[in-house]
Amino acid sequence: MSTRGKVRKAVIPVAGRGVRMLPATKSYPKEMFPILGTPVLQYVVEEAVRSGITDILMIIGKRKNAIMDYFNRDFELENHLAQKGKDDLLKEIERISNLANIYFTYQKESKGLGDAVSYAEEFVGNEPFALLLGDNIFYSKTPCTAQLISIFDRYQVSVIMVEKVPEFKVSRYGIIKGRKIGERLFEIEDLVEKPSLEEAPSNFAIGGRYILTPDIFSCIRRTPPGRGGEVQITDALRLLNRKLGYITEGKRYDIGDKLDYLKAQIELGLKREEFRDELREYLESLCKNVCSEE
Ligand code: G1P
């Protein structure tokens, strides 16, 4: 396959205000919230790297400097850990700084996700790229982005991760209208950003992972502000000639939502061997006690 078709770049927008996670997000980015001691954004970056991505552009906004500090090297910390003989921690800290080539740019004004993505045009050039929203993480056997890339490799058109959501969640997401062309694959006919249940064309939601062709940038330029007065990537996608929706295998957590964030911590904790038994026992006794109190 030509390099033109190979997905090796990713864009991670992390400029959103995080209103649903206030007051914590007043001064701290939600993408840096920890799950078992690791920031959400590191899970996202590791998913990209495990999917074959080598170059990442993060689009940041105000109050997001903690993100740049995190992926930058900290020689003072490294020396300190070396002197104290904390080799495992030192290795992990060095590994984080070397995960990928990471670049940053600022979104000048909060004008929406579509506007944020438009800042990546020069970085992306004439290549297909992965778009990973910095507040969504996945637990799956094959990384979510890798699953989408294999669909892209086959069809060479933009592919969007979709997921069936319960009706009460429809108005929180971009929703697709699609025609099923495979067990997990849709030809997308239309998309609506955060519709009411009555307006929603289906209950298949856009789940924060996309493989996009560079013609998305001219689509963004032609997209007027939509929902919330912001330029929406969902509206820009409507203008793409052809796009597919793919139901990926695995579980998604929306860290921008307080309950989902809590669930992610518990579920990922149960999957971690060092915590599994004690946490399971704790949860079981907690449930018994709470039920008997009711
Ligand atoms: C964004 C997108 C939306 C998508 C969602 C997934 O919304 O605009 O289409 O369904 O991410 O998390 P946000 O959550 O940034 O408001």
Side-chain angles (χ1 to χ4, degrees), residues 48-101:
V49 171
R50 284 193 292 125
S51 304
I53 299 295
T54 54
D55 291 72
I56 297 175
L57 178 69
M58 293 192 187
I59 303 175
I60 61 174
K62 284 199 191 88
R63 293 172 288 277
K64 303 275 181 168
N65 289 347
I67 294 175
M68 284 203 269
D69 289 345
Y70 187 78
F71 289 101
N72 205 349
R73 282 193 73 173
D74 183 340
F75 294 105
E76 212 183 306
L77 174 65
E78 287 174 24
N79 286 339
H80 175 78
L81 293 173
Q83 271 166 21
K84 298 266 170 201
K86 299 198 184 288
D87 295 343
D88 287 355
L89 278 176
L90 177 60
K91 252 193 229 150
E92 178 60 5
I93 294 292
E94 285 175 341
R95 190 183 72 83
I96 293 164
S97 320
N98 292 320
L99 277 170
N101 302 317

Side-chain angles (χ1 to χ4, degrees), residues 157-158 187-191 213 215-216 218-219 222 236-244:
V157 293
S158 293
E187 191 78 56
I188 296 183
E189 292 168 339
D190 205 0
L191 311 93
T213 48
D215 44 345
I216 190 67
S218 67
C219 297
R222 286 183 282 133
L237 288 164
R238 298 182 73 196
L239 306 179
L240 273 181
N241 278 342
R242 194 179 171 208
K243 53 264 168 188
L244 300 174

Side-chain angles (χ1 to χ4, degrees), residues 21 78 82 86 93 131-132 142 150 232 247 260 264 273 284:
M21 293 301 263
E78 287 174 24
K86 299 198 184 288
I93 294 292
L131 173 65
L132 296 88
T142 307
S150 57
Q232 300 292 346
I247 306 173
D260 240 29
E273 212 178 318
E284 278 169 3

Side-chain angles (χ1 to χ4, degrees), residues 32-291:
M32 290 303 291
F33 288 2
I35 296 182
L36 310 173
T38 299
V40 165
L41 192 52
Q42 189 178 324
Y43 289 88
V44 179
V45 168
E46 298 217 31
E47 176 194 323
V49 171
R50 284 193 292 125
S51 304
I53 299 295
T54 54
D55 291 72
I56 297 175
L57 178 69
M58 293 192 187
I59 303 175
I60 61 174
K62 284 199 191 88
R63 293 172 288 277
K64 303 275 181 168
N65 289 347
I67 294 175
M68 284 203 269
D69 289 345
Y70 187 78
F71 289 101
N72 205 349
R73 282 193 73 173
D74 183 340
F75 294 105
E76 212 183 306
L77 174 65
E78 287 174 24
N79 286 339
H80 175 78
L81 293 173
Q83 271 166 21
K84 298 266 170 201
K86 299 198 184 288
D87 295 343
D88 287 355
L89 278 176
L90 177 60
K91 252 193 229 150
E92 178 60 5
I93 294 292
E94 285 175 341
R95 190 183 72 83
I96 293 164
S97 320
N98 292 320
L99 277 170
N101 302 317
I102 300 184
Y103 307 91
F104 297 94
T105 192
Y106 276 99
Q107 184 185 22
K108 294 194 185 85
E109 286 174 72
S110 299
K111 292 203 298 192
L113 185 56
D115 177 70
V117 174
S118 74
Y119 283 79
E121 185 164 10
E122 208 177 309
F123 166 79
V124 162
N126 198 22
E127 296 181 28
F129 66 102
L131 173 65
L132 296 88
L133 303 193
D135 57 2
N136 278 228
I137 61 165
F138 289 83
Y139 185 85
S140 56
K141 259 191 263 150
T142 307
C144 183
T145 296
Q147 295 180 49
L148 295 182
I149 288 176
S150 57
I151 300 296
F152 175 82
D153 286 346
R154 205 161 134 208
Y155 293 89
Q156 297 286 313
V157 293
S158 293
V159 190
I160 302 164
M161 181 263 163
V162 294
E163 169 187 88
K164 201 173 190 168
V165 293
E167 287 190 342
F168 74 94
K169 282 193 174 174
V170 155
S171 61
R172 298 182 194 176
Y173 294 109
I175 301 291
I176 66 152
K177 175 175 182 232
R179 187 167 48 83
K180 235 177 163 195
I181 56 167
E183 202 197 325
R184 290 173 168 267
L185 199 59
F186 293 90
E187 191 78 56
I188 296 183
E189 292 168 339
D190 205 0
L191 311 93
V192 198
E193 180 65 6
K194 306 198 174 87
S196 65
L197 186 55
E198 296 71 45
E199 292 162 339
S202 75
N203 58 346
F204 281 97
I206 302 169
R209 295 291 186 270
Y210 317 68
I211 307 297
L212 300 173
T213 48
D215 44 345
I216 190 67
F217 296 108
S218 67
C219 297
I220 296 173
R221 273 194 288 281
R222 286 183 282 133
T223 301
R227 166 119 353 225
E230 297 188 334
V231 177
Q232 300 292 346
I233 193 73
T234 306
D235 295 337
L237 288 164
R238 298 182 73 196
L239 306 179
L240 273 181
N241 278 342
R242 194 179 171 208
K243 53 264 168 188
L244 300 174
Y246 185 67
I247 306 173
T248 50
E249 166 272 322
K251 185 144 187 194
R252 184 177 71 92
Y253 302 97
D254 178 357
I255 301 306
D257 177 84
K258 285 175 184 159
L259 185 59
D260 240 29
Y261 176 51
L262 180 61
K263 286 181 185 170
Q265 299 189 67
I266 297 170
E267 290 189 35
L268 296 187
L270 284 169
K271 291 182 198 304
R272 191 73 83 72
E273 212 178 318
E274 59 188 303
F275 303 130
R276 187 181 298 144
D277 295 342
E278 210 177 317
L279 183 58
R280 188 194 289 146
E281 230 172 78
Y282 171 72
L283 290 172
E284 278 169 3
S285 76
L286 196 65
C287 291
K288 256 187 232 148
N289 294 339
V290 171
C291 291

